[in-house]
Amino acid sequence: MLGRSKNLIIQVIDLFYFPFLHKYIPVQTFRYAVCGGGNALFNLVMFYIGNNFIFTEELIYCGPFTMTHYIAAFVFALAFSFPLGFILNKYVVFQQSHLKGRIQLFRYAMITLFSIVANYGLLHFFAGYLGLWATPSQALTTVILSITSYFAQMYFSFRTKKTNIITN
């Protein structure tokens, strides 16, 4: 099932890649942009639903923790977008990685943890300090973190062995 789904996703993405962009950007970068953009959009929709329909009070109490409604919406959205993002990166974008799946997942989680901390800080800065609306604040934060995440995923989480070229 996963193989067919993976191949279908790749075929759909590549339909838009080859006619328009094959001369300008590598296929892996294009697939990352499409998968990451789709996952970011999915995350933003889940954030919007959580922020506007589920967490409607200013403060949300979850056991001993208290958080603002927009941070609760962020955690809610992350519960959906984290596994989807890992699966898309592992099986669609970075298929040539030589690392074992559990190492990829651990590294992906580490980068995601960094992104969570940065997202938390940036979201508080934009929504809490600057007073911007929560959903545009999350969208801006997503753009900033997507750029840094691409390089971290490519060179750390899903890296490939470099071939050694020996010249005579």
Side-chain angles (χ1 to χ4, degrees):
M1 178 70 176
L2 181 63
R4 271 190 273 167
S5 299
K6 174 185 86 164
N7 291 336
L8 179 62
I9 292 169
I10 290 171
Q11 287 173 355
V12 169
I13 291 170
D14 288 354
L15 276 174
F16 296 96
Y17 172 72
F18 290 108
F20 303 107
L21 300 170
H22 73 280
K23 294 180 182 179
Y24 304 108
I25 62 172
V27 67
Q28 184 180 45
T29 304
F30 182 76
R31 287 177 182 167
Y32 182 84
V34 172
C35 290
N39 195 39
L41 181 62
F42 175 67
N43 180 282
L44 195 56
V45 168
M46 297 306 290
F47 178 86
Y48 178 83
I49 290 168
N51 189 55
N52 291 294
F53 300 108
I54 298 172
F55 306 107
T56 56
E57 300 296 321
E58 186 62 31
L59 295 176
I60 307 300
Y61 302 96
C62 184
F65 301 104
T66 301
M67 61 185 102
T68 61
H69 61 95
Y70 52 85
I71 296 300
F74 166 71
V75 172
F76 171 76
L78 184 66
F80 295 96
S81 64
F82 175 82
L84 179 61
F86 176 75
I87 289 167
L88 288 172
N89 276 298
K90 179 173 176 50
Y91 294 106
V92 175
V93 180
F94 300 108
Q95 301 172 47
Q96 291 77 24
S97 178
H98 69 281
L99 298 173
K100 294 183 181 193
R102 69 178 185 274
I103 294 170
Q104 292 173 339
L105 179 60
F106 177 75
R107 290 179 176 196
Y108 184 84
M110 285 176 41
I111 292 169
T112 300
L113 183 60
F114 166 78
S115 293
I116 289 169
V117 172
N119 196 316
Y120 181 85
L122 289 170
L123 189 56
H124 266 300
F125 175 73
F126 292 134
Y129 182 72
L130 295 181
L132 302 175
W133 290 342
T135 301
S137 295
Q138 181 62 28
L140 179 59
T141 298
T142 298
V143 169
I144 293 167
L145 294 177
S146 293
I147 294 167
T148 58
S149 178
Y150 172 70
F151 293 106
Q153 300 302 352
M154 182 168 54
Y155 293 113
F156 183 64
S157 297
F158 300 99
R159 70 182 172 95
T160 58
K161 288 183 180 177
K162 298 202 181 210
T163 55
N164 294 327
I165 300 172
I166 300 174
T167 58
N168 293 337

